[in-house]
């Protein structure tokens, strides 16, 4: 039986200024916290990206390339600590709005092999949700059984938790209105794809040779690749513009919202 759980992923480009290292977008964070609170959505898991808090450090120390030097261990911890700081800002904004948010460090209960989740211990997460808490996770640096270290994206975490916890819906809040026929930031003729089935989504990826399926701005291709598994299991996926006021509120409430809806089939 499908749970009522919603998994909400907020992109790093939404909650930080990606071109300014370690700079949070506090107006956006506070607005999103208010919308989440007003939606009264529960059970809910929130995962956020790293943006300017995670990517610059992870790239500087080449964490994704695995452990090759002791200096990377320092970089691993610096990146994790930076993400903890961002997580605190998001969690505190939610608390200010009356949401019983609690931060969870993915590196404390997830391990990977070659960057893919292999160990996932959800017991405490499930218990927290049953008690009424709203867990807040994030893209993190994690220990990897094969390469020592890895960067684990919030997208992968969100998709895996949606599958493991049999979520009803997974929402990706990004900085564009959804999936397009081409990149809307460079092509004014780009058309928003409002409703897709899994077959249509996979067809678009195959047609593009797996490189530029639809809009791949900000790693969009990686996001839709992660969504294939949960959608194939019957989880409804929604990609929306979290910088657009009330989009997250409306999506959490199940109301009509501008974006791209992806379902297993239309039957």
């Amino acid at each position: 039986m499908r749970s009522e759980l919603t998994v909400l992923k907020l992109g790093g480009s939404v909650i930080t200024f990606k071109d300014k290292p370690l700079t949070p977008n506090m107006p956006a964070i506070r607005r999103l916290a208010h919308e989440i609170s007003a939606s009264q959505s529960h059970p809910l898991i929130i995962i956020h990206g790293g943006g300017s808090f995670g990517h610059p450090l992870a790239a500087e120390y080449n964490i994704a390339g695995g452990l090759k030097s002791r200096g990377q261990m320092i970089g691993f911890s610096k990146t994790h600590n930076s993400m903890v700081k961002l997580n605190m800002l998001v969690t505190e904004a939610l608390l200010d709005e009356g949401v019983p948010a609690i931060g969870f460090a993915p590196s404390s209960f997830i391990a990977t092999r070659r960057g893919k989740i292999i160990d996932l211990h959800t017991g405490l997460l499930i218990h927290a949700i049953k008690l009424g808490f709203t867990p807040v996770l994030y893209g993190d640096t994690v220990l990897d059984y094969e390469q020592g270290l890895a960067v684990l994206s919030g997208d992968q975490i969100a998709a895996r938790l949606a599958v493991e916890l049999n979520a009803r819906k997974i929402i990706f809040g990004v900085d564009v209105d959804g999936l397009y026929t081409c990149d809307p930031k460079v092509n004014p003729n780009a058309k928003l794809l409002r409703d897709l089935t899994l077959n249509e989504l996979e067809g678009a990826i195959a047609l593009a040779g797996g490189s530029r399926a639809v809009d791949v701005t900000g790693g969009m291709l990686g996001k839709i690749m992660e969504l294939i598994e949960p959608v194939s299991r019957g989880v409804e996926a929604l990609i929306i513009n979290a910088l657009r006021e009330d989009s997250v509120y409306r999506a959490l409430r199940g109301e009509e919202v501008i974006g791209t809806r992806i379902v297993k089939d239309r039957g």
Side-chain angles (χ1 to χ4, degrees), residues 60-227:
E60 178 184 348
Y61 289 93
N62 189 28
I63 305 303
L67 180 60
K68 296 179 177 67
S69 69
R70 184 173 179 82
Q72 286 177 295
M73 297 169 70
I74 299 297
F76 176 95
S77 295
K78 282 185 175 181
T79 306
H80 168 75
N81 285 350
S82 182
M83 289 304 303
V84 170
K85 291 174 185 175
L86 180 58
N87 183 251
M88 287 183 64
L89 294 175
V90 174
T91 302
E92 286 171 357
L94 288 162
L95 290 171
D96 287 344
E97 291 289 341
V99 178
I102 178 170
F104 274 80
S107 53
S108 68
F109 67 97
I110 300 175
T112 59
R113 176 168 284 120
R114 286 193 167 275
K116 296 297 182 183
I117 295 172
I118 193 74
D119 276 350
L120 174 64
H121 304 281
T122 59
L124 282 176
L125 201 62
I126 292 170
H127 187 54
I129 293 169
K130 286 180 177 177
L131 289 174
F133 286 103
T134 297
V136 185
L137 289 67
Y138 47 90
D140 200 3
T141 49
V142 298
L143 299 179
D144 188 284
Y145 288 126
E146 192 161 328
Q147 60 189 38
L149 311 175
V151 175
L152 178 60
S153 73
D155 296 336
Q156 188 182 160
I157 296 170
R160 182 63 180 270
L161 287 178
V163 171
E164 294 288 331
L165 303 182
N166 202 26
R168 177 176 58 87
K169 182 186 295 185
I170 180 169
I171 301 168
F172 274 12
V174 295
D175 62 351
V176 291
D177 285 340
L179 299 181
Y180 284 80
T181 52
C182 53
D183 189 342
K185 293 183 178 179
V186 298
N187 190 335
N189 296 318
K191 290 183 172 56
L192 178 65
L193 301 170
R194 296 298 300 265
D195 284 282
L196 292 172
T197 64
L198 186 59
N199 283 340
E200 290 167 345
L201 180 66
E202 291 177 329
I205 295 170
L207 188 65
S211 57
R212 293 188 67 84
V214 277
D215 171 30
V216 297
T217 304
M220 187 65 82
L221 179 60
K223 296 179 193 302
I224 62 176
M225 293 297 287
E226 294 291 354
L227 286 174

Side-chain angles (χ1 to χ4, degrees), residues 8-65:
L8 172 64
K9 163 67 189 344
L10 299 173
S13 60
V14 172
I15 63 170
T16 75
F17 294 104
K18 294 190 77 170
D19 57 343
K20 299 177 182 178
L22 304 176
T23 307
N25 184 342
M26 289 310 301
I29 290 173
R30 285 190 284 264
R31 175 182 56 77
L32 289 165
H34 176 73
E35 290 184 24
I36 291 166
S37 175
S39 75
Q40 298 183 322
S41 178
H42 189 81
L44 175 68
I45 293 177
I46 300 169
I47 301 110
H48 64 79
S52 65
F53 277 73
H55 296 292
L57 281 168
E60 178 184 348
Y61 289 93
N62 189 28
I63 305 303

